[in-house]
Amino acid sequence: MNRFANWNRRCENKFVRVKHSNTIKNTSKIKNMKNSILLFLILVITKTTFSQTENPFQFIKIDNGQFVFEKIFTIDSLLSSKIDTTLQLFLPSQKGISNLKSQNQLIIANFNNLFIDYNKYDANNHSIICSSPINANVTIQIKDGKYKVLVNSIVFNTTGPILGSNQIVNKVMSAESIFLKNDQTDFRTRGDLIKIGQAIEHQFSEIFTIKFTNNDW
């Protein structure tokens, strides 16, 4: 009887040891899984954070994969209807503006063969881009003493010699192909491209800033 009791106790102790060992193994597996998941999340967050280049521009942004200029101008001294009339009179005198139309506080127009003065903004790297005129769509919304200018579908009409030959290339290049990375969600970081983009946004800002003269008052 005693032998049977001893044998029974030994079996129980062995079962407890095995069960305890399995519990430790399962706990270790769960802990390792949690650590792996945590490490994965940290890597994803880190990649997302550092893969996004800081926008080097003030009024240029990426909108649905498009390189666009967007700026809100404020003129507190003019009513919305007066802003509309003033823009219609003022914009045709600006370089490159064409096909201007206005309806219900909305103005649409185009840039046609607009040359950016890259020398003025110390951005001329003497590339084909800097000698190419710009075409683009322009939309102006007027509201509450303000007007928002949106310039999109920007293209460069490039003309120049092919390196190492006497041939001349005539090609339309989109702003996206020049300034954005291949996935079109981030800006290229080349210093000369950033300077060219900043020159473009400066000139756009100047073009759409209403300039009053003494005769306007």
Side-chain angles (χ1 to χ4, degrees), residues 4-208:
F4 178 78
N6 290 335
W7 178 82
N8 192 39
R9 278 196 297 273
R10 284 197 301 272
C11 288
E12 289 179 351
N13 290 337
K14 186 176 181 181
F15 175 76
V16 169
R17 286 196 299 274
V18 171
K19 184 177 180 181
H20 181 66
S21 176
N22 289 337
T23 301
I24 292 175
K25 288 180 180 178
N26 290 335
T27 303
S28 178
K29 285 181 180 179
I30 293 172
K31 186 175 181 181
N32 288 337
M33 286 179 63
K34 287 182 177 179
N35 289 338
S36 297
I37 293 172
L38 181 61
L39 179 61
F40 174 75
L41 291 174
I42 290 173
L43 290 174
V44 169
I45 293 171
T46 303
K47 183 177 180 180
T48 302
T49 302
F50 289 96
S51 64
Q52 291 292 324
T53 304
E54 183 178 353
N55 188 344
F57 307 112
Q58 190 174 1
F59 304 113
I60 288 173
K61 64 179 186 177
I62 301 173
D63 184 15
N64 291 324
Q66 274 202 328
F67 178 92
V68 303
F69 169 90
E70 182 178 286
K71 182 176 180 180
I72 296 175
F73 298 78
T74 302
I75 305 181
D76 295 328
S77 59
L78 291 180
L79 298 174
S80 295
S81 58
K82 185 67 173 176
I83 293 176
D84 190 347
T85 303
T86 303
L87 285 170
Q88 289 185 61
L89 294 173
F90 168 73
L91 286 177
S93 65
Q94 299 303 296
K95 290 192 296 185
I97 292 289
S98 65
N99 303 323
L100 190 144
K101 300 175 184 176
S102 175
Q103 185 176 8
N104 298 327
Q105 307 295 300
L106 179 69
I107 296 175
I108 59 173
N110 300 110
F111 275 131
N112 186 29
N113 287 328
L114 171 67
F115 283 92
I116 303 296
D117 188 355
Y118 296 104
N119 289 323
K120 180 177 181 180
Y121 306 104
D122 192 29
N124 191 351
N125 64 356
H126 304 287
S127 65
I128 290 179
I129 297 172
C130 289
S131 61
S132 302
I134 286 176
N135 290 354
N137 295 335
V138 177
T139 305
I140 304 174
Q141 294 176 299
I142 303 166
K143 182 180 179 181
D144 300 330
K146 302 176 183 178
Y147 59 101
K148 181 171 73 173
V149 176
L150 175 69
V151 183
N152 61 2
S153 300
I154 303 170
V155 297
F156 293 77
N157 295 314
T158 59
T159 301
I162 298 176
L163 190 63
S165 75
N166 295 323
Q167 295 181 349
I168 301 297
V169 61
N170 291 289
K171 183 179 179 181
V172 175
M173 297 180 65
S174 69
E176 290 78 22
S177 67
I178 297 170
F179 295 98
L180 305 187
K181 295 180 180 179
N182 291 337
D183 60 2
Q184 296 189 329
T185 61
D186 210 356
F187 291 102
R188 298 185 191 274
T189 55
R190 274 176 43 190
D192 58 336
L193 289 180
I194 291 173
K195 279 187 135 184
I196 290 171
Q198 289 171 342
I200 290 171
E201 68 176 353
H202 280 306
Q203 186 149 334
F204 282 0
S205 294
E206 287 188 8
I207 288 173
F208 294 108

